[in-house]
Amino acid sequence: MMDHATRVGNRLLAALPPADFALLAPHLRKVVIERDSVLVRSGDRIEHLLFPLTGAIASIMELPNGQTVATAIIGREGAVGLTSALGTSHSPSTAVVRISGAALQISPARFLAAQHRSTQIASMVQVFTRSLLMQLQHVAACNALHSVEARLACWLLHIHDRANGGDLLPLTQETLSELLGVRRTTVTHVVSTMRASRALKSNRRGALEIDRPRLEAMACECYKVMSRRIDRIVSHGAVGLVHGAPPRSASRSAGSRIAGTGS
C-alpha cells in the first residue's frame, strides 16, 4: 500500500507527516483547474485554498491602469490562497490557470482549524511563504535588469517545468503580454526573434512549440538560479517537516483518504 507522500502529488502536502496530513485529508476535494480560468482575483475574498497536483498557475499583479505582469508561477511545489493562513482573508494578486491540470481544494476555515492543531502544517505555510517571497524578489530583479527575450525564455521554461508533458504550450500572445507586462506588438517582435533563433519551433494559433535546449541557452541565469532556490527551500523544508515535532492533536489515522465531498 502506497504511503501518502506517494499518493499525494503536491510537494507541500506530501512533505507532511502522515498524522498531520490526516488532519487535512478528510476535507480535501480533488478539482479540475481549466486553462485560462481565474481562480481568484486581486482583492477578492479567498474562498478556497488550492494545492496543485498538475498544471501551472500564474500569479498576476494588476495595476490600476489595467496593465498586468506575472510575479510567480505556481505548480505542484506550491499552493494558491495560502496567504489566508497568515491572516490575510483577501487575495493580494490574481491567480490564472495557464496550463490545465488538477488540484486539491480545501476551505480556509478547515485549513486554519487543522493548522491550529499542527505545528507541522504551520511550518508548511512558512516553507511556502519563503519560497514565494524568494520568487517575487527574483522576478522583480529580473524584470529590472534583463531583456524581454531572456525574461520570456525564463517564463516559458518555468511553465514547461509544470506542464503535463510535451513541448507544445497552450499560450497565446495575449497571455505572453500579460506575463511580461509588455504590449502585444513587443510580444510579436520577441516571438519572431525567438523563432529566428529556433528556440520556438513554431507559433501555432494559441500555442507555442518550444525547443527546450535552445530556450535554456536564450534565458538569463535567473531561470536556473530561481529553480534551484525554490527546490532547495521546498526540499529542505520537507525534510524539516518529516523530522519535526508531532501534531498537537491528530486523532485520525494516517490512512484517512482524500474525501470527494470535503469543502
Side-chain angles (χ1 to χ4, degrees), residues 134-145:
M134 188 283 300
Q135 191 171 173
L136 295 176
Q137 291 172 337
H138 212 108
V139 168
C142 185
N143 287 347
L145 299 174

Side-chain angles (χ1 to χ4, degrees), residues 2-11 13-16 18 21 76 242:
M2 293 187 298
D3 61 19
H4 84 277
T6 303
R7 290 185 289 110
V8 179
N10 180 274
R11 290 180 65 186
L13 294 178
L16 289 172
F21 177 73
R76 62 184 291 269
V242 170

Side-chain angles (χ1 to χ4, degrees), residues 132-156:
L132 184 60
L133 285 176
M134 188 283 300
Q135 191 171 173
L136 295 176
Q137 291 172 337
H138 212 108
V139 168
C142 185
N143 287 347
L145 299 174
H146 297 140
S147 69
V148 179
E149 289 84 359
R151 287 167 50 208
L152 178 55
C154 281
W155 283 124
L156 292 178

Side-chain angles (χ1 to χ4, degrees), residues 17 66 125:
V125 174

